[in-house]
Amino acid sequence: MGDYMITTNPDRCIACHACEIACKSENKVPLDASLGKIVILGPKMVDGTPRMTSVFVPCFHCEEAWCMEACPTDAIRRREKDGLIYILENLCVGCKACIMACPWHIPQWNSEAGKVVKCDLCMDRIDAGEKPVCVSVCPTNALQFGRPESLSNSTREAYGQGLLEKNLSAA
């Protein structure tokens, strides 16, 4: 897994798709492809009321990257310094092997270029000290970007704070 990840707080996500739109614009992705996607889950019952939730699904930058293993031209690479998986467009021959290999269908066909595209977590923005564009435009701050260990700790802390507040209000 790469050194970075994007997580979604489903309680904050309103499925506005601003993340998808900004990604398409920033990365010049055609309408028929998506580098990251909002997935709607549900309905599920919450306190007797049916609710829908949504999460943003970008590339996971897998430790054993099936897309990278399937590429016959080595166009899909892992960046040494942080483990991010990216595509060298000039080496992609458009065979779509990576699309078929990825169980999450993250690599997408760019019909305009006749090549595959995939989320690289906006490597250029990371290198400039910025967050990926999808995270930076989220109007509800539902998307978080960081290193897995820091996001895991903040998730645990938020959960603990929620339990504490719930117990204090019930007392």
Side-chain angles (χ1 to χ4, degrees), residues 2-95:
D3 290 355
Y4 303 104
M5 64 186 290
I6 295 173
T7 59
T8 308
N9 179 340
D11 294 332
R12 298 187 67 97
C13 182
I14 59 173
C16 67
H17 299 271
C19 50
E20 290 181 19
I21 294 165
C23 176
K24 283 181 181 291
S25 178
E26 176 89 4
N27 296 294
K28 297 171 183 53
V29 177
L31 290 177
D32 58 348
S34 253
L35 300 187
K37 187 153 190 64
I38 291 286
V39 176
I40 309 297
L41 308 170
K44 64 180 181 177
M45 296 302 281
V46 177
D47 297 326
T49 305
R51 305 273 324 252
M52 303 293 281
T53 57
S54 50
V55 294
F56 180 71
V57 182
C59 179
F60 300 118
H61 300 272
C62 304
E63 191 67 36
E64 301 288 329
W66 293 328
C67 63
M68 191 170 73
E69 296 298 322
C71 182
T73 63
D74 291 326
I76 302 178
R77 310 265 174 104
R78 180 182 308 278
R79 193 157 81 161
E80 196 66 35
K81 73 179 184 178
D82 54 18
L84 296 179
I85 308 289
Y86 65 98
I87 297 177
L88 287 175
E89 186 180 343
N90 62 324
L91 294 180
C92 178
V93 295
C95 70

Coordinates of all heavy atoms in Angstrom, one line a residue, residues 2-95:
G2 N 0.4 2.3 -0.7 CA 1.2 3.5 -0.7 C 1.2 4.2 0.7 O 0.5 3.8 1.6
D3 N 2.0 5.2 0.8 CA 2.2 5.9 2.1 C 1.0 6.8 2.4 O 0.9 7.3 3.5 CB 3.4 6.8 2.0 CG 4.7 6.0 2.1 OD1 4.7 4.7 2.2 OD2 5.8 6.6 1.9
Y4 N 0.1 7.0 1.4 CA -1.0 7.9 1.6 C -2.4 7.2 1.3 O -2.4 6.2 0.6 CB -0.9 9.1 0.7 CG 0.3 9.9 0.8 CD1 1.3 9.7 -0.1 CD2 0.5 10.7 1.9 CE1 2.5 10.5 0.0 CE2 1.7 11.5 2.0 CZ 2.7 11.3 1.0 OH 3.8 12.1 1.2
M5 N -3.4 7.7 1.9 CA -4.8 7.2 1.5 C -5.8 8.3 1.7 O -5.6 9.3 2.4 CB -5.1 6.0 2.4 CG -5.2 6.2 3.8 SD -5.4 4.7 4.8 CE -7.1 4.2 4.4
I6 N -6.9 8.1 1.1 CA -8.1 9.0 1.3 C -9.2 8.2 2.0 O -9.5 7.0 1.6 CB -8.6 9.5 -0.1 CG1 -7.5 10.4 -0.8 CG2 -9.9 10.3 0.1 CD1 -7.9 10.8 -2.2
T7 N -9.7 8.7 3.0 CA -10.8 8.1 3.7 C -12.1 9.0 3.6 O -11.9 10.2 3.4 CB -10.5 7.8 5.2 OG1 -10.2 9.0 5.8 CG2 -9.4 6.9 5.3
T8 N -13.2 8.4 3.8 CA -14.5 9.1 3.7 C -15.2 9.0 5.1 O -15.3 7.9 5.6 CB -15.4 8.6 2.7 OG1 -14.8 8.5 1.4 CG2 -16.7 9.4 2.5
N9 N -15.7 10.1 5.6 CA -16.6 10.1 6.7 C -18.0 10.1 6.2 O -18.5 11.1 5.7 CB -16.4 11.3 7.6 CG -17.3 11.3 8.8 OD1 -18.3 10.7 8.8 ND2 -16.9 12.1 9.8
P10 N -18.6 8.9 6.2 CA -19.9 8.8 5.5 C -21.0 9.6 6.2 O -22.0 9.9 5.6 CB -20.2 7.3 5.6 CG -19.3 6.7 6.5 CD -18.1 7.6 6.7
D11 N -20.8 10.0 7.4 CA -21.8 10.9 8.1 C -21.7 12.3 7.6 O -22.7 13.0 7.7 CB -21.5 10.9 9.6 CG -21.8 9.5 10.3 OD1 -22.6 8.8 9.7 OD2 -21.1 9.2 11.3
R12 N -20.6 12.6 6.9 CA -20.5 14.0 6.4 C -20.7 14.1 4.9 O -21.0 15.1 4.4 CB -19.1 14.5 6.7 CG -18.8 14.7 8.2 CD -17.5 15.4 8.5 NE -17.6 16.7 8.1 CZ -17.8 17.8 8.9 NH1 -18.0 17.6 10.1 NH2 -17.9 19.0 8.4
C13 N -20.5 13.0 4.2 CA -20.6 13.0 2.7 C -22.1 13.2 2.3 O -23.0 12.4 2.8 CB -20.1 11.7 2.1 SG -20.1 11.7 0.3
I14 N -22.3 14.2 1.5 CA -23.7 14.4 1.0 C -23.9 14.0 -0.5 O -24.8 14.3 -1.1 CB -24.1 15.9 1.2 CG1 -23.1 16.8 0.4 CG2 -24.1 16.3 2.7 CD1 -23.4 18.3 0.4
A15 N -22.9 13.3 -1.0 CA -22.9 12.8 -2.4 C -23.2 13.9 -3.4 O -23.9 13.7 -4.3 CB -24.0 11.7 -2.5
C16 N -22.5 15.0 -3.2 CA -22.6 16.1 -4.1 C -21.8 15.9 -5.4 O -22.0 16.6 -6.4 CB -22.2 17.4 -3.4 SG -20.4 17.5 -3.0
H17 N -20.8 15.0 -5.3 CA -20.0 14.6 -6.5 C -19.0 15.7 -6.8 O -18.3 15.7 -7.9 CB -20.8 14.2 -7.7 CG -21.6 13.0 -7.5 ND1 -21.2 11.7 -7.7 CD2 -22.9 12.9 -7.0 CE1 -22.1 10.9 -7.4 NE2 -23.2 11.6 -6.9
A18 N -18.8 16.7 -5.9 CA -17.8 17.8 -6.2 C -16.4 17.2 -6.4 O -15.6 17.6 -7.2 CB -17.8 18.8 -5.1
C19 N -16.1 16.1 -5.6 CA -14.8 15.4 -5.7 C -14.6 14.8 -7.1 O -13.5 15.0 -7.7 CB -14.7 14.3 -4.6 SG -16.1 13.2 -4.6
E20 N -15.6 14.2 -7.6 CA -15.5 13.6 -9.0 C -15.3 14.7 -10.0 O -14.5 14.5 -11.0 CB -16.7 12.8 -9.3 CG -16.9 11.5 -8.5 CD -18.1 10.7 -8.9 OE1 -18.7 11.0 -10.0 OE2 -18.6 9.9 -8.1
I21 N -16.1 15.7 -9.9 CA -16.0 16.8 -10.9 C -14.7 17.5 -10.9 O -14.1 17.7 -12.0 CB -17.2 17.8 -10.7 CG1 -18.5 17.1 -10.9 CG2 -17.0 19.1 -11.6 CD1 -19.7 17.9 -10.4
A22 N -14.2 17.8 -9.7 CA -12.9 18.5 -9.6 C -11.8 17.6 -10.2 O -10.9 18.0 -10.8 CB -12.6 18.8 -8.2
C23 N -11.9 16.3 -9.9 CA -10.9 15.3 -10.4 C -10.9 15.3 -11.9 O -9.8 15.4 -12.5 CB -11.2 13.9 -9.8 SG -10.1 12.7 -10.5
K24 N -12.1 15.2 -12.5 CA -12.2 15.2 -14.0 C -11.5 16.5 -14.6 O -10.8 16.4 -15.5 CB -13.6 15.1 -14.4 CG -14.2 13.7 -14.3 CD -15.6 13.6 -14.8 CE -16.2 12.3 -14.7 NZ -15.6 11.3 -15.6
S25 N -11.9 17.6 -13.9 CA -11.4 18.9 -14.4 C -9.9 19.0 -14.3 O -9.2 19.3 -15.2 CB -12.1 20.0 -13.7 OG -11.6 21.3 -14.1
E26 N -9.4 18.7 -13.1 CA -7.9 18.8 -12.8 C -7.1 17.9 -13.7 O -6.0 18.3 -14.1 CB -7.7 18.5 -11.3 CG -6.2 18.5 -10.9 CD -5.7 19.9 -10.4 OE1 -6.5 20.8 -10.4 OE2 -4.5 20.0 -10.1
N27 N -7.6 16.7 -13.9 CA -6.8 15.7 -14.6 C -7.2 15.5 -16.1 O -6.7 14.6 -16.7 CB -6.9 14.3 -13.8 CG -6.3 14.4 -12.5 OD1 -5.1 14.6 -12.4 ND2 -7.1 14.3 -11.4
K28 N -8.1 16.4 -16.5 CA -8.6 16.3 -17.9 C -9.1 14.9 -18.3 O -8.7 14.3 -19.3 CB -7.5 16.8 -18.9 CG -7.2 18.3 -18.6 CD -6.0 18.7 -19.4 CE -5.6 20.1 -19.1 NZ -5.4 20.5 -17.7
V29 N -9.9 14.4 -17.4 CA -10.5 13.0 -17.6 C -11.8 13.2 -18.4 O -12.7 14.0 -18.0 CB -10.8 12.3 -16.3 CG1 -11.4 11.0 -16.5 CG2 -9.4 12.2 -15.5
P30 N -12.0 12.4 -19.5 CA -13.3 12.5 -20.2 C -14.5 12.0 -19.4 O -14.3 11.3 -18.4 CB -13.0 11.6 -21.4 CG -12.0 10.6 -21.0 CD -11.1 11.4 -20.0
L31 N -15.7 12.4 -19.8 CA -16.9 12.1 -19.1 C -17.1 10.6 -18.9 O -17.7 10.2 -17.9 CB -18.1 12.7 -19.8 CG -18.2 14.2 -19.8 CD1 -19.4 14.7 -20.6 CD2 -18.3 14.7 -18.4
D32 N -16.6 9.8 -19.8 CA -16.9 8.3 -19.7 C -15.9 7.6 -18.7 O -16.0 6.4 -18.6 CB -17.0 7.7 -21.0 CG -15.7 7.8 -21.8 OD1 -14.8 8.7 -21.5 OD2 -15.6 7.2 -22.9
A33 N -15.0 8.3 -18.1 CA -14.1 7.7 -17.1 C -14.1 8.4 -15.8 O -14.5 9.6 -15.7 CB -12.7 7.7 -17.7
S34 N -13.7 7.7 -14.8 CA -13.7 8.3 -13.4 C -12.5 7.8 -12.7 O -12.3 6.6 -12.6 CB -14.9 7.8 -12.6 OG -15.9 8.7 -12.4
L35 N -11.7 8.7 -12.1 CA -10.5 8.3 -11.4 C -10.9 7.9 -10.0 O -10.2 7.1 -9.3 CB -9.4 9.3 -11.4 CG -8.9 9.7 -12.8 CD1 -7.7 10.7 -12.7 CD2 -8.5 8.5 -13.6
G36 N -11.9 8.6 -9.4 CA -12.4 8.3 -8.1 C -13.9 8.4 -8.2 O -14.4 9.1 -9.1
K37 N -14.6 7.6 -7.4 CA -16.1 7.6 -7.6 C -16.8 7.5 -6.3 O -16.4 6.9 -5.3 CB -16.4 6.3 -8.4 CG -17.9 6.2 -8.8 CD -18.0 5.4 -10.1 CE -19.3 5.5 -10.7 NZ -19.8 6.8 -11.2
I38 N -17.9 8.3 -6.2 CA -18.8 8.2 -5.1 C -19.7 6.9 -5.2 O -20.2 6.7 -6.3 CB -19.8 9.4 -5.0 CG1 -19.0 10.7 -4.7 CG2 -20.9 9.2 -4.0 CD1 -18.5 10.8 -3.2
V39 N -19.7 6.1 -4.2 CA -20.5 4.9 -4.2 C -21.6 5.1 -3.1 O -21.3 5.4 -2.0 CB -19.7 3.7 -3.9 CG1 -20.5 2.4 -3.8 CG2 -18.6 3.5 -5.0
I40 N -22.8 4.9 -3.5 CA -24.0 5.0 -2.7 C -24.3 3.7 -2.0 O -24.4 2.7 -2.8 CB -25.2 5.6 -3.4 CG1 -24.9 6.8 -4.2 CG2 -26.4 5.8 -2.4 CD1 -24.5 8.0 -3.4
L41 N -24.4 3.6 -0.7 CA -24.7 2.4 0.0 C -26.1 2.5 0.7 O -26.4 3.5 1.3 CB -23.6 2.1 1.0 CG -22.2 2.1 0.5 CD1 -21.2 2.1 1.7 CD2 -22.0 1.0 -0.4
G42 N -26.8 1.4 0.7 CA -28.1 1.5 1.4 C -29.2 1.1 0.5 O -29.0 0.7 -0.6
P43 N -30.4 1.3 1.0 CA -30.7 1.9 2.3 C -30.5 0.9 3.4 O -30.6 -0.3 3.3 CB -32.2 2.3 2.2 CG -32.8 1.3 1.2 CD -31.6 1.0 0.3
K44 N -30.2 1.5 4.6 CA -30.2 0.7 5.8 C -31.0 1.5 6.9 O -31.1 2.7 6.8 CB -28.7 0.5 6.3 CG -28.0 1.8 6.6 CD -26.6 1.5 7.1 CE -25.9 2.8 7.5 NZ -24.5 2.6 8.0
M45 N -31.5 0.7 7.8 CA -32.3 1.3 8.9 C -31.4 1.9 10.0 O -30.5 1.3 10.5 CB -33.2 0.3 9.5 CG -34.2 -0.3 8.5 SD -35.3 1.0 7.7 CE -36.5 1.2 9.0
V46 N -31.7 3.2 10.3 CA -31.0 3.9 11.4 C -32.0 4.5 12.3 O -32.7 5.4 11.8 CB -30.0 5.0 10.8 CG1 -29.3 5.7 12.0 CG2 -29.0 4.4 9.9
D47 N -32.1 4.0 13.5 CA -33.1 4.5 14.4 C -34.5 4.4 13.8 O -35.3 5.4 13.9 CB -32.8 5.9 14.9 CG -31.5 6.0 15.7 OD1 -31.2 5.0 16.4 OD2 -30.8 7.0 15.6
G48 N -34.8 3.4 13.1 CA -36.2 3.2 12.5 C -36.4 4.0 11.2 O -37.5 3.9 10.7
T49 N -35.4 4.6 10.7 CA -35.5 5.4 9.5 C -34.6 4.9 8.4 O -33.4 4.7 8.7 CB -35.2 6.9 9.8 OG1 -36.0 7.4 10.8 CG2 -35.4 7.8 8.5
P50 N -35.1 4.7 7.2 CA -34.1 4.2 6.1 C -33.2 5.4 5.8 O -33.6 6.5 5.6 CB -35.1 3.9 5.0 CG -36.4 4.5 5.3 CD -36.4 4.8 6.7
R51 N -31.9 5.0 5.7 CA -30.9 6.0 5.4 C -30.0 5.5 4.3 O -29.7 4.3 4.2 CB -30.0 6.3 6.6 CG -30.7 6.8 7.9 CD -31.0 8.2 8.0 NE -29.9 9.1 7.5 CZ -29.1 9.8 8.2 NH1 -29.2 9.8 9.5 NH2 -28.2 10.6 7.7
M52 N -29.4 6.4 3.5 CA -28.4 6.1 2.5 C -27.1 6.7 3.0 O -27.1 7.7 3.6 CB -28.8 6.7 1.1 CG -30.2 6.3 0.6 SD -30.3 4.6 0.2 CE -29.4 4.6 -1.4
T53 N -26.0 6.0 2.7 CA -24.7 6.6 3.0 C -23.9 6.5 1.7 O -24.2 5.8 0.8 CB -24.0 5.8 4.1 OG1 -23.9 4.5 3.7 CG2 -24.7 6.0 5.4
S54 N -22.8 7.3 1.7 CA -22.0 7.3 0.5 C -20.5 7.4 0.9 O -20.2 7.9 2.0 CB -22.3 8.4 -0.5 OG -22.4 9.6 0.3
V55 N -19.7 6.8 0.1 CA -18.2 6.8 0.3 C -17.5 7.1 -1.0 O -18.1 6.8 -2.1 CB -17.7 5.5 0.9 CG1 -18.2 5.3 2.3 CG2 -18.0 4.3 0.0
F56 N -16.4 7.7 -0.9 CA -15.6 8.0 -2.1 C -14.6 6.9 -2.3 O -13.9 6.5 -1.3 CB -14.9 9.4 -1.9 CG -14.0 9.7 -3.1 CD1 -14.6 10.1 -4.3 CD2 -12.6 9.7 -3.0 CE1 -13.8 10.5 -5.4 CE2 -11.8 10.1 -4.1 CZ -12.4 10.5 -5.3
V57 N -14.5 6.3 -3.5 CA -13.6 5.2 -3.7 C -12.5 5.6 -4.8 O -12.8 5.7 -5.9 CB -14.3 3.9 -4.2 CG1 -13.4 2.8 -4.4 CG2 -15.4 3.6 -3.2
P58 N -11.3 5.9 -4.3 CA -10.2 6.2 -5.2 C -9.4 4.9 -5.4 O -9.7 3.9 -4.9 CB -9.4 7.2 -4.5 CG -9.5 6.8 -3.0 CD -10.9 6.2 -2.9
C59 N -8.2 5.0 -6.1 CA -7.3 3.9 -6.2 C -6.8 3.6 -4.8 O -6.4 4.5 -4.0 CB -6.2 4.2 -7.1 SG -5.0 2.8 -7.3
F60 N -6.6 2.3 -4.4 CA -6.1 1.9 -3.1 C -4.5 1.8 -3.1 O -3.9 1.6 -2.1 CB -6.7 0.6 -2.7 CG -8.2 0.6 -2.6 CD1 -8.9 -0.2 -3.4 CD2 -8.8 1.5 -1.7 CE1 -10.3 -0.2 -3.3 CE2 -10.2 1.5 -1.6 CZ -10.9 0.7 -2.4
H61 N -3.9 1.9 -4.3 CA -2.4 1.8 -4.4 C -1.9 0.5 -3.7 O -1.1 0.6 -2.7 CB -1.7 3.0 -3.9 CG -2.2 4.2 -4.7 ND1 -1.5 4.6 -5.8 CD2 -3.2 5.1 -4.6 CE1 -2.1 5.6 -6.4 NE2 -3.2 5.9 -5.6
C62 N -2.5 -0.6 -4.1 CA -2.3 -1.9 -3.4 C -0.8 -2.3 -3.3 O 0.0 -2.0 -4.2 CB -3.0 -3.0 -4.2 SG -4.8 -2.7 -4.5
E63 N -0.5 -3.0 -2.2 CA 0.8 -3.5 -2.0 C 1.1 -4.5 -3.2 O 2.2 -4.5 -3.7 CB 0.9 -4.2 -0.7 CG 2.3 -4.6 -0.3 CD 3.2 -3.4 0.0 OE1 2.7 -2.4 0.5 OE2 4.4 -3.5 -0.3
E64 N 0.2 -5.4 -3.4 CA 0.3 -6.4 -4.6 C -0.6 -5.8 -5.7 O -1.8 -6.3 -5.8 CB -0.1 -7.8 -4.1 CG 0.7 -8.4 -3.0 CD 2.1 -8.8 -3.4 OE1 2.2 -9.2 -4.6 OE2 2.9 -8.7 -2.5
A65 N -0.2 -4.9 -6.4 CA -1.0 -4.2 -7.4 C -1.2 -5.0 -8.6 O -0.3 -5.2 -9.5 CB -0.3 -2.8 -7.8
W66 N -2.4 -5.6 -8.7 CA -2.8 -6.5 -9.8 C -2.7 -5.7 -11.1 O -2.4 -6.3 -12.2 CB -4.1 -7.1 -9.6 CG -4.2 -8.0 -8.4 CD1 -3.1 -8.8 -8.0 CD2 -5.3 -8.3 -7.6 NE1 -3.5 -9.5 -6.9 CE2 -4.8 -9.2 -6.6 CE3 -6.6 -7.8 -7.5 CZ2 -5.7 -9.7 -5.6 CZ3 -7.4 -8.3 -6.5 CH2 -6.9 -9.2 -5.5
C67 N -3.1 -4.5 -11.2 CA -3.0 -3.7 -12.4 C -1.6 -3.6 -12.9 O -1.3 -3.8 -14.1 CB -3.6 -2.3 -12.2 SG -2.8 -1.3 -11.0
M68 N -0.7 -3.4 -12.0 CA 0.7 -3.3 -12.3 C 1.3 -4.6 -12.8 O 2.0 -4.6 -13.8 CB 1.5 -2.8 -11.1 CG 2.9 -2.3 -11.4 SD 3.7 -1.5 -10.0 CE 4.0 -2.8 -8.9
E69 N 0.9 -5.7 -12.2 CA 1.4 -7.0 -12.6 C 0.9 -7.4 -13.9 O 1.5 -8.1 -14.7 CB 1.0 -8.0 -11.5 CG 1.6 -7.8 -10.1 CD 3.1 -7.9 -10.1 OE1 3.7 -8.8 -10.9 OE2 3.7 -7.1 -9.4
A70 N -0.3 -6.9 -14.3 CA -1.0 -7.3 -15.6 C -0.4 -6.5 -16.7 O -0.6 -7.0 -17.9 CB -2.5 -7.1 -15.5
C71 N 0.2 -5.4 -16.5 CA 0.6 -4.5 -17.6 C 1.8 -5.1 -18.4 O 2.9 -5.3 -17.8 CB 1.0 -3.1 -17.1 SG 1.5 -2.0 -18.4
P72 N 1.6 -5.4 -19.6 CA 2.7 -6.1 -20.4 C 3.8 -5.1 -20.8 O 4.9 -5.6 -21.2 CB 2.0 -6.6 -21.7 CG 0.8 -5.6 -21.8 CD 0.4 -5.3 -20.4
T73 N 3.6 -3.8 -20.7 CA 4.6 -2.8 -21.1 C 5.3 -2.1 -20.0 O 6.1 -1.2 -20.2 CB 4.0 -1.8 -22.1 OG1 3.0 -1.1 -21.4 CG2 3.4 -2.5 -23.3
D74 N 5.0 -2.5 -18.8 CA 5.5 -1.8 -17.6 C 5.1 -0.3 -17.6 O 5.9 0.5 -17.0 CB 7.0 -2.0 -17.4 CG 7.4 -3.4 -17.1 OD1 6.6 -4.1 -16.4 OD2 8.5 -3.8 -17.6
A75 N 4.0 0.0 -18.1 CA 3.5 1.4 -18.1 C 3.0 1.8 -16.7 O 3.0 3.0 -16.4 CB 2.4 1.6 -19.1
I76 N 2.6 0.8 -15.9 CA 2.1 1.1 -14.6 C 3.2 0.8 -13.6 O 3.8 -0.3 -13.6 CB 0.8 0.2 -14.2 CG1 -0.3 0.5 -15.3 CG2 0.4 0.5 -12.8 CD1 -1.5 -0.4 -15.0
R77 N 3.6 1.8 -12.9 CA 4.7 1.8 -12.0 C 4.4 2.2 -10.6 O 3.4 2.8 -10.3 CB 5.8 2.8 -12.5 CG 6.1 2.8 -13.9 CD 7.3 1.9 -14.2 NE 7.6 1.7 -15.6 CZ 8.6 2.3 -16.2 NH1 9.3 3.2 -15.6 NH2 8.8 2.0 -17.5
R78 N 5.2 1.8 -9.6 CA 5.1 2.2 -8.2 C 6.2 3.2 -8.0 O 7.4 2.9 -8.2 CB 5.3 1.0 -7.3 CG 5.2 1.4 -5.8 CD 5.4 0.2 -4.9 NE 4.6 -1.0 -5.2 CZ 3.3 -1.1 -4.9 NH1 2.7 -0.2 -4.2 NH2 2.6 -2.2 -5.2
R79 N 5.8 4.4 -7.5 CA 6.8 5.4 -7.1 C 7.6 4.9 -5.9 O 7.0 4.6 -4.9 CB 6.1 6.7 -6.9 CG 7.0 7.9 -6.9 CD 6.4 9.2 -7.2 NE 5.7 9.7 -6.1 CZ 5.3 11.0 -6.0 NH1 5.6 11.8 -7.0 NH2 4.7 11.4 -4.9
E80 N 8.9 4.9 -6.0 CA 9.8 4.4 -5.0 C 9.6 5.2 -3.6 O 9.5 4.5 -2.6 CB 11.2 4.6 -5.4 CG 12.2 3.8 -4.6 CD 12.0 2.3 -4.8 OE1 11.6 1.7 -5.8 OE2 12.2 1.6 -3.8
K81 N 9.5 6.5 -3.7 CA 9.5 7.3 -2.4 C 8.3 7.1 -1.6 O 8.3 7.3 -0.4 CB 9.8 8.7 -2.7 CG 8.7 9.5 -3.3 CD 9.2 11.0 -3.5 CE 8.1 11.9 -4.1 NZ 8.5 13.2 -4.2
D82 N 7.1 6.8 -2.2 CA 5.9 6.7 -1.4 C 4.9 5.6 -1.8 O 3.8 5.5 -1.2 CB 5.2 8.1 -1.4 CG 4.9 8.6 -2.7 OD1 4.9 7.8 -3.7 OD2 4.6 9.8 -2.9
G83 N 5.3 4.8 -2.7 CA 4.5 3.6 -3.1 C 3.3 3.9 -3.9 O 2.4 3.0 -4.1
L84 N 3.1 5.2 -4.4 CA 2.0 5.5 -5.3 C 2.1 4.8 -6.6 O 3.2 4.8 -7.2 CB 1.8 7.0 -5.4 CG 1.5 7.8 -4.1 CD1 1.4 9.2 -4.4 CD2 0.2 7.2 -3.5
I85 N 1.0 4.3 -7.1 CA 0.9 3.6 -8.4 C 0.4 4.6 -9.4 O -0.6 5.3 -9.2 CB -0.1 2.4 -8.3 CG1 0.2 1.5 -7.2 CG2 -0.1 1.6 -9.7 CD1 1.5 0.6 -7.3
Y86 N 1.2 4.7 -10.5 CA 0.8 5.6 -11.6 C 1.1 5.0 -12.9 O 1.7 4.0 -13.1 CB 1.7 6.9 -11.4 CG 3.1 6.7 -11.6 CD1 3.8 7.0 -12.8 CD2 3.9 6.2 -10.6 CE1 5.1 6.8 -13.0 CE2 5.3 6.0 -10.7 CZ 5.9 6.3 -11.9 OH 7.2 6.1 -12.1
I87 N 0.6 5.7 -14.0 CA 0.7 5.2 -15.4 C 1.6 6.2 -16.2 O 1.4 7.4 -16.1 CB -0.6 5.1 -16.0 CG1 -1.5 4.0 -15.3 CG2 -0.5 4.7 -17.5 CD1 -2.9 3.9 -15.9
L88 N 2.6 5.6 -16.8 CA 3.4 6.4 -17.8 C 2.6 6.3 -19.1 O 2.6 5.2 -19.8 CB 4.8 5.8 -18.0 CG 5.7 6.0 -16.9 CD1 7.1 5.3 -17.1 CD2 6.0 7.5 -16.7
E89 N 1.9 7.3 -19.5 CA 1.0 7.3 -20.6 C 1.7 6.9 -21.9 O 1.1 6.2 -22.7 CB 0.3 8.7 -20.8 CG -0.8 8.7 -21.8 CD -1.4 10.1 -22.0 OE1 -1.3 10.9 -21.1 OE2 -2.1 10.3 -23.0
N90 N 2.9 7.4 -22.1 CA 3.6 7.1 -23.4 C 3.9 5.6 -23.5 O 4.1 5.1 -24.6 CB 4.9 7.9 -23.5 CG 5.9 7.6 -22.4 OD1 5.5 7.4 -21.2 ND2 7.1 7.7 -22.7
L91 N 3.9 4.8 -22.4 CA 4.1 3.4 -22.5 C 2.9 2.5 -22.6 O 2.9 1.4 -23.0 CB 5.0 2.9 -21.4 CG 6.4 3.4 -21.2 CD1 7.1 2.8 -20.0 CD2 7.2 3.1 -22.5
C92 N 1.7 3.1 -22.3 CA 0.4 2.4 -22.4 C 0.1 2.2 -23.8 O 0.0 3.1 -24.6 CB -0.7 3.2 -21.7 SG -2.3 2.4 -21.7
V93 N -0.2 0.9 -24.1 CA -0.6 0.5 -25.5 C -2.1 0.3 -25.6 O -2.6 -0.1 -26.7 CB 0.1 -0.7 -26.0 CG1 1.6 -0.4 -26.1 CG2 -0.1 -1.9 -25.1
G94 N -2.9 0.5 -24.5 CA -4.3 0.4 -24.5 C -4.8 -1.0 -24.6 O -5.9 -1.2 -25.1
C95 N -4.1 -2.0 -24.0 CA -4.5 -3.4 -24.1 C -5.6 -3.7 -23.1 O -6.3 -4.7 -23.2 CB -3.4 -4.3 -23.9 SG -2.7 -4.3 -22.2

